[in-house]
Amino acid sequence: MTRVLLVDDQELVRSGLKLILDLAEGIEVVGEAADGREAVELAKKQRPDVVLMDVRMPELDGIEATRRLRQAGVDARVLVLTTFDLDEYVYAAVRAGASGFLLKDAPREQLVAAVRTVARGDALLAPAITRRLIERFAARPSPDNAPRALEELTARELEVLQLVARGMSNAEIASELILGEATVKTHVAHILRKLDLRDRVQAVVFAYEAGVVEPGSAV
């Protein structure tokens, strides 16, 4: 059973999300919070698997709440909810430790799938939106500033990282490089371990900020 904490300052939104998730097999809503401060305290007590986190809230916004969850050692995956498809706050939330984000008007099937995706440890790279956000807000680094950790990657791993940064799934990378999907999954695991990254979202951010790929190069 996937345990979910809902965080949104609008009760109507929380009610709608709860209705959808309560009808989904294998998902249980274990709590609701109206602001980030309440969310952090509830998450410490309830230990949910996934936190559906609104960005703009009173008292404490979703970005700072996400950061505090990480600082508190809460293992829940944070899935950021936003009303806008281009929102600088979402990129900041990913930097703070979120595992992905979703638009509030996403179809119910997409919401359920998103919760299940992050619950099993995968990052949610919403097709074009995440790439556009990162292209827009990632700093353009000097080539001289490339992290030394990149030297730990093999040529193949670097190639896989570039494709991950362009938003490709393991299946798409396997097709592009003519590899088995299991092999790609192994490469991704090695990349995350060598670069000390939590998930694919962090890998995308790292790739842009380290100059592995450049804003505007995603397809």
Side-chain angles (χ1 to χ4, degrees):
M1 185 68 71
T2 298
R3 295 162 52 82
V4 179
L5 174 63
L6 302 178
V7 186
D8 196 292
D9 62 328
Q10 298 182 44
E11 184 177 357
L12 188 60
V13 172
R14 297 198 309 272
S15 297
L17 294 171
K18 187 176 188 303
L19 180 62
I20 293 172
L21 295 177
D22 279 345
L23 293 173
E25 184 178 354
I27 296 177
E28 176 187 10
V29 175
V30 297
E32 299 180 36
D35 61 64
R37 195 179 308 279
E38 185 182 0
V40 173
E41 293 306 313
L42 267 178
K44 290 177 182 178
K45 295 176 183 177
Q46 297 289 352
R47 294 289 168 174
D49 302 301
V50 177
V51 177
L52 281 180
M53 182 81 76
D54 189 21
V55 175
R56 293 170 175 165
M57 295 182 293
E59 298 296 329
L60 193 71
D61 65 31
I63 298 168
E64 183 58 28
T66 298
R67 186 176 294 113
R68 292 190 186 185
L69 286 174
R70 294 288 161 256
Q71 292 172 345
V74 177
D75 292 331
R77 298 271 172 164
V78 177
L79 179 59
V80 173
L81 292 170
T82 179
T83 307
F84 309 101
D85 68 345
L86 279 176
D87 188 340
E88 65 271 22
Y89 294 111
V90 176
Y91 178 71
V94 170
R95 293 289 308 276
S99 293
F101 70 95
L102 193 68
L103 296 180
K104 285 186 178 180
D105 62 357
R108 66 175 60 199
E109 297 83 2
Q110 191 173 345
L111 171 64
V112 173
V115 169
R116 288 174 173 157
T117 294
V118 298
R120 65 172 178 258
D122 293 332
L124 184 69
L125 293 171
I129 300 171
T130 298
R131 297 199 296 275
R132 293 207 309 270
L133 279 165
I134 291 171
E135 287 175 19
R136 181 174 177 182
F137 299 109
R140 292 177 178 268
S142 164
D144 295 334
N145 292 334
R148 294 186 62 84
L150 282 175
E151 298 174 4
E152 299 295 319
L153 301 184
T154 66
R156 177 61 85 185
E157 288 167 351
L158 186 59
E159 195 172 13
V160 170
L161 177 59
Q162 291 170 332
L163 297 180
V164 167
R166 294 190 171 102
M168 287 189 174
S169 66
N170 286 350
E172 290 169 333
I173 294 172
S175 176
E176 176 76 14
L177 299 181
I178 315 178
L179 296 172
E181 192 169 344
T183 300
V184 173
K185 186 175 181 179
T186 298
H187 282 315
V188 172
H190 288 168
I191 291 167
L192 297 180
R193 177 179 55 79
K194 289 180 178 181
L195 299 180
D196 193 25
L197 302 172
R198 189 182 64 255
D199 55 34
R200 293 171 80 101
V201 168
Q202 282 199 336
V204 173
V205 173
F206 176 93
Y208 276 97
E209 294 185 335
V212 175
V213 289
E214 298 236 344
S217 65
V219 294

